Amino acid sequence: MSQIKLSQRTKIIALFCAFAAGALVMVIAATFLMGGPRPQIAGTVTSTGTAAVGGPFRLVDQTGAQVTEAALKGKPSLIFFGFTHCPDVCPTALFEMSEILTALGPDADKAQVFFVSVDPERDTPEALKSYLSSFAPQIRGLTGTPEAVDAIKKEYRVYSRKVPLKDGDYTMDHTAVVYLMDKNGSFVAPFNSKRPPAEAAAELKRYL
Ligand code: NI
């Protein structure tokens, strides 16, 4: 084999390897992005026993108080990501969670619910406070700097995207999963809030 031929062959192999590596990276990225917030992640988490969801965060609640992942310790938590201008999904979920808290009765103080904004630009602590006054008083709204919100979204595999509206306003597309965290702050599974409140409350009670 001549030297020229050899170098051409090497070049072809190198090109093929670069292409294959690129394709693999894209497949991994797509798998991560698509699989993250959806229910099938629960299977992945359960089968490996590793908490792939959650992590440290630094946000503020609707009173302006700083809240970190330490707040997840001691009580089971339901965490939901959304935004106050949401037309239907968020108010419905917050209504469901309010009903679950009511169904918990005297145990309501032993569990907690967090509503994390994916729209920190509009969702100031004051905006959250006013919005959440329509729901159960135990629900804590969390917001922060865009960087802090991006960080927690990444940890919880939350997808959200700004969608411009015709009038110059915007809405947000976002993951609508309720995360059940145990009292050590570890992710358990997506929580089904779309069932009779007593049934949902009974499941939550198992983690008190
Ligand atoms: Ni929403």
Side-chain angles (χ1 to χ4, degrees), residues 78-110:
L78 296 179
I79 306 179
F80 181 76
F81 290 76
F83 67 116
T84 65
H85 287 66
C86 183
D88 45 37
V89 175
C90 293
T92 302
L94 289 167
F95 176 72
E96 289 161 356
M97 286 188 266
S98 299
E99 291 216 305
I100 294 166
L101 285 166
T102 303
L104 278 174
D107 287 331
D109 291 339
K110 296 179 190 159

Side-chain angles (χ1 to χ4, degrees), residues 136-151:
Q138 296 95 333
I139 300 176
R140 290 179 85 182
L142 301 181
T143 188
T145 61
E147 294 75 25
V149 167
D150 278 346

Side-chain angles (χ1 to χ4, degrees):
M1 195 178 280
S2 78
Q3 219 175 345
I4 292 165
K5 263 189 183 165
L6 183 67
S7 89
Q8 273 177 338
R9 200 174 160 211
T10 310
K11 215 170 166 184
I12 290 164
I13 291 168
L15 272 172
F16 176 76
C17 288
F19 174 78
L24 184 65
V25 165
M26 283 197 288
V27 167
I28 290 168
T31 306
F32 178 80
L33 289 171
M34 302 300 287
R38 300 195 183 166
Q40 61 258 40
I41 192 86
T44 313
V45 169
T46 309
S47 63
T48 60
T50 322
V53 172
F57 60 85
R58 188 174 290 267
L59 298 166
V60 289
D61 71 8
Q62 70 267 46
T63 71
Q66 185 178 278
V67 181
T68 70
E69 70 284 359
L72 301 181
K73 308 250 172 167
K75 294 176 180 183
S77 311
L78 296 179
I79 306 179
F80 181 76
F81 290 76
F83 67 116
T84 65
H85 287 66
C86 183
D88 45 37
V89 175
C90 293
T92 302
L94 289 167
F95 176 72
E96 289 161 356
M97 286 188 266
S98 299
E99 291 216 305
I100 294 166
L101 285 166
T102 303
L104 278 174
D107 287 331
D109 291 339
K110 296 179 190 159
Q112 48 192 0
V113 176
F114 293 97
F115 175 62
V116 186
S117 176
V118 295
D119 185 15
E121 200 177 303
R122 291 185 295 198
D123 291 343
T124 59
E126 297 73 28
L128 283 173
K129 189 175 183 178
S130 151
Y131 181 70
L132 290 173
S133 66
S134 307
F135 303 100
Q138 296 95 333
I139 300 176
R140 290 179 85 182
L142 301 181
T143 188
T145 61
E147 294 75 25
V149 167
D150 278 346
I152 190 169
K153 272 170 52 186
K154 210 175 217 177
E155 289 171 347
Y156 283 79
R157 315 282 182 92
V158 167
Y159 156 86
S160 76
R161 186 175 69 96
K162 203 183 252 195
V163 182
L165 296 173
K166 276 179 191 155
D167 56 7
D169 208 354
Y170 66 90
T171 187
M172 304 287 293
D173 268 355
H174 67 92
T175 302
V177 171
V178 179
Y179 297 82
L180 170 61
M181 312 298 284
D182 67 18
K183 54 182 164 185
N184 297 315
S186 301
F187 174 66
V188 178
F191 187 82
N192 176 11
S193 61
K194 307 211 171 291
R195 53 185 155 166
E199 205 180 291
E203 191 197 338
L204 195 51
K205 271 188 186 176
R206 290 171 30 210
Y207 297 92
L208 295 181

